[in-house]
Amino acid sequence: MRLEISGVSHCYDQVEALRDINLTIEPGEIVALIGPSGCGKSTLLSIIGGLLQPGKGQITANGPVPDGCLNPLTYVFQDFALLPWRSVAGNISLVLEDHKLSKAERTARIDEVLEQTGLSDFRNAYPKQLSGGMKQRVGIARALAVRPAVLLMDEPLSALDAQTRILLLDEFSALFARTGMTAVYVTHNLNEAVRLAHRVVALRRRPGTIKEIHTIDVPIDQRHEGDPLMVAHETSLWELIRDEAIAADKELENVV
């Protein structure tokens, strides 16, 4: 499914968050949104996902969705948002229960995503028994259970320790390469953007506008931690946003 973002602008009261964003996201493409704090990355993701209506402009979705798709646009958040009284399988089942699926169909979908995310042996475990990385795997499995056309990911690894983040980056990379899904990935971490995205969209500080779109022409499953080419891409991105990131951090410090 192709997403077309046309002339999107948005204000919060008197604060202009986004101005005239134009971007097309092709089927099977992973696009990362980066930029200084407060540049409107999460606002843009919320508009794409329909959680927020833009002040101006529109989002258009065109093209087919995957077979069995129950929710074309599906979120994965930084907060795992798991129900503590439900097991891993029960938390995944939650997103399927309002749809007209038989018990056998629900079970088949749960089995499928547990296998995809390496959670098959943990189907009966409860959130309190899981590490942060495992909880986020459950969040990913829950999102995949509805077979989305586009996965919307808002800093999904930011609450995790460095070792777990690297492990999940490898898993995300394999997942994207295997499924060919479309995703929009918001992050402050340039390493994540370089490891996972076909294109990295750098936004200027508020009001957020597109400063540059950086293309990475290396298959996602061939990118590795510490690879010199990936380090070079990461360095280029930092040089692109560094001055504005420093200015935005000083602005936040002054507010505090």
Side-chain angles (χ1 to χ4, degrees):
M1 188 169 72
R2 177 182 291 105
L3 293 177
E4 295 182 6
I5 304 166
S6 305
V8 165
S9 301
H10 193 72
C11 294
Y12 294 102
D13 295 326
Q14 302 302 313
V15 177
E16 189 178 12
L18 293 171
R19 180 187 295 171
D20 196 28
I21 302 294
N22 294 280
L23 178 67
T24 298
I25 300 169
E26 298 293 342
E29 184 178 30
I30 313 299
V31 171
L33 303 179
I34 66 168
S37 297
C39 71
K41 300 183 294 293
S42 292
T43 295
L44 181 55
L45 195 72
S46 293
I47 291 172
I48 293 171
L51 298 182
L52 186 65
Q53 289 299 310
K56 295 181 181 178
Q58 63 180 0
I59 309 291
T60 305
N62 297 301
V65 299
D67 290 341
C69 177
L70 302 177
N71 189 5
L73 301 172
T74 300
Y75 275 90
V76 177
F77 295 103
Q78 173 185 342
D79 181 356
F80 314 125
L82 302 181
L83 299 180
W85 59 86
R86 283 193 177 223
S87 66
V88 167
N91 269 281
I92 297 170
S93 177
L94 184 66
V95 298
L96 304 175
E97 290 167 5
D98 287 337
H99 297 279
K100 294 180 179 179
L101 298 173
S102 67
K103 182 178 179 180
E105 288 171 325
R106 285 202 305 271
T107 299
R109 285 190 183 232
I110 292 168
D111 290 345
E112 176 184 279
V113 297
L114 288 173
E115 177 67 26
Q116 286 178 338
T117 54
L119 290 169
S120 295
D121 292 338
F122 299 88
R123 65 179 303 124
N124 296 319
Y126 286 85
K128 67 180 181 181
Q129 299 172 291
L130 305 176
S131 66
M134 295 296 281
K135 289 176 183 176
Q136 192 57 291
R137 286 186 181 92
V138 179
I140 296 293
R142 183 175 55 195
L144 295 178
V146 299
R147 297 179 187 168
V150 181
L151 203 57
L152 304 174
M153 309 180 79
D154 195 358
E155 300 198 58
L157 304 182
S158 62
L160 304 176
D161 62 80
Q163 178 177 298
T164 302
R165 185 186 64 83
I166 291 171
L167 292 172
L168 280 180
L169 270 177
D170 289 340
E171 293 184 18
F172 283 178
S173 175
L175 175 68
F176 290 153
R178 183 174 67 250
T179 63
M181 68 170 51
T182 307
V184 184
Y185 191 103
V186 168
T187 184
H188 279 92
N189 189 300
L190 302 183
N191 176 256
E192 292 176 22
V194 166
R195 285 289 306 280
L196 298 176
H198 298 104
R199 290 189 296 158
V200 181
V201 178
L203 299 180
R204 293 182 177 89
R205 59 186 298 213
R206 193 169 56 231
T209 59
I210 294 178
K211 182 174 186 178
E212 187 172 310
I213 299 177
H214 185 91
T215 300
I216 303 176
D217 290 323
V218 178
I220 290 175
D221 58 350
Q222 294 180 25
R223 304 177 193 180
H224 304 287
E225 198 76 21
D227 183 280
L229 181 57
M230 295 298 100
V231 172
H233 277 294
E234 190 173 340
T235 300
S236 295
L237 290 173
W238 175 237
E239 290 175 350
L240 182 64
I241 69 170
R242 177 181 53 206
D243 291 345
E244 289 188 294
I246 292 171
D249 281 347
K250 288 181 177 178
E251 183 180 79
L252 291 174
E253 288 174 5
N254 291 334
V255 170
V256 174

